[in-house]
């Protein structure tokens, strides 16, 4: 399993571990990933994703998973998240004419 956030595409970074004597050795900075179950209002089901804690905060700030995915750029999303975005957009498009007619 890759160490990459499915919503923001955050991945490992490379840097130096610097000792007291200023000797530099390579090290990796891993993103803080956690498995989270989101509730999609448009799809009416739960969705499990592996996201960074930063993405979790962004989803809450944007008003939920549906709103976050509709705003997100496709280049940053994983294939699973991209498929969710398409499904949510399809449901939103189907619901929009029904709202106008009613």
């Amino acid at each position: 399993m890759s160490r990459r956030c499915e919503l923001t595409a955050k991945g490992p970074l490379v840097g130096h571990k610097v000792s007291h004597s200023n000797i530099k050795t390579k090290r990796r900075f891993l993103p803080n990933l956690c498995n989270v179950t989101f509730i999609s209002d448009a799809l009416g089901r739960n969705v499990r994703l592996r996201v960074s804690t930063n993405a979790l905060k962004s989803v809450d700030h944007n008003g939920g998973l549906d709103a976050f995915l509709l705003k997100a750029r496709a280049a940053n999303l994983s294939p699973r998240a991209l498929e969710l975005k398409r499904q949510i957009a399809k449901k939103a498009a189907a619901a929009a004419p029904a709202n106008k007619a009613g």
Side-chain angles (χ1 to χ4, degrees), residues 38-79:
F38 291 107
I39 299 170
S40 173
D41 297 328
L43 301 177
R45 64 184 174 100
N46 294 341
V47 180
R48 290 198 64 199
L49 295 172
R50 190 163 191 225
V51 300
S52 64
T53 53
N54 185 20
L56 190 59
K57 191 175 175 182
S58 298
V59 168
D60 284 341
H61 181 76
N62 285 317
L65 180 67
D66 299 341
F68 179 84
L69 284 175
L70 290 176
K71 284 184 181 179
R73 291 180 22 203
N76 291 343
L77 298 175
S78 70

Side-chain angles (χ1 to χ4, degrees), residues 72-85:
R73 291 180 22 203
N76 291 343
L77 298 175
S78 70
R80 282 182 57 209
L82 197 55
E83 182 58 33
L84 282 171
K85 178 177 178 164

